[in-house]
Amino acid sequence: MPTTPTRPLPESYRHLNEFAVRYPTGSMIFEVGQTLDRFFVVLSGRVRLSTPAPDREATAVGEAVRGQLIGHLAAFEGRPPLVRATTLDDAVLIAIPIDQAAAAFAVSPDLAVEIARDLAERVPADVASELPEQVPTPIATTPQPSEGAEQSRT
């Protein structure tokens, strides 16, 4: 299960305390198919990301730790998340409603930069996965006179 080591939080995140929410161990933050009206930043604790299956236990696909974003892609795109997010231990998350994102970015520009970085890291992989295996290289051609055509003499 991929994880990223914890890292120091940007100083400007302290301006987002009004959005901080405590979640006890085992709390479901969001579920597959649920409409998200907010996105999250992990301040403390760990959040398990998993894909549920009706006939077996959910499969863990990742773990979010201090400083990591979760739910932002689904929330900004207005689509349900593809994973379930559940706390593995007591956790504190910043839960920013989408309709207040601009105000949050104004008081914490680092948050906007972090989202931009995350998107930039994802886009090349997403775009590459949609490209055909081999992209044909365009060949520059010069028009050739057709057979039998008269060439001009100057």
Side-chain angles (χ1 to χ4, degrees):
M1 178 170 37
T3 60
T4 302
T6 59
R7 55 192 166 161
L9 292 174
E11 183 65 26
S12 68
Y13 280 22
R14 76 178 194 287
H15 299 296
L16 302 171
N17 283 340
E18 69 182 278
F19 299 110
V21 179
R22 292 186 183 282
Y23 292 90
T25 301
S27 297
M28 187 177 310
I29 299 165
F30 55 80
E31 177 64 271
V32 173
Q34 172 187 351
T35 301
L36 293 184
D37 64 348
R38 64 197 64 235
F39 64 98
F40 305 86
V41 180
V42 179
L43 290 181
S44 66
R46 297 174 301 141
V47 177
R48 179 181 189 221
L49 304 172
S50 61
T51 54
D55 56 342
R56 59 182 164 74
E57 189 174 324
T59 302
V61 294
E63 186 177 298
V65 294
R66 180 182 175 92
Q68 290 187 297
L69 297 159
I70 57 172
H72 56 297
L73 297 176
F76 280 110
E77 290 178 2
R79 64 164 173 77
L82 301 175
V83 296
R84 170 189 295 160
T86 310
T87 57
L88 289 170
D89 38 43
D90 290 348
V92 177
L93 280 68
I94 299 171
I96 301 173
I98 289 297
D99 63 357
Q100 294 181 40
F105 297 156
V107 298
S108 180
D110 295 308
L111 179 60
V113 169
E114 190 62 31
I115 288 176
R117 278 189 187 132
D118 185 73
L119 293 174
E121 289 171 2
R122 292 171 187 269
V123 170
D126 291 346
V127 170
S129 70
E130 293 180 15
L131 291 175
E133 280 187 38
Q134 190 173 23
V135 178
T137 305
I139 299 172
T141 59
T142 1
Q144 299 294 320
S146 57
E147 282 187 39
E150 222 178 278
Q151 294 185 1
S152 65
R153 296 180 186 188
T154 52

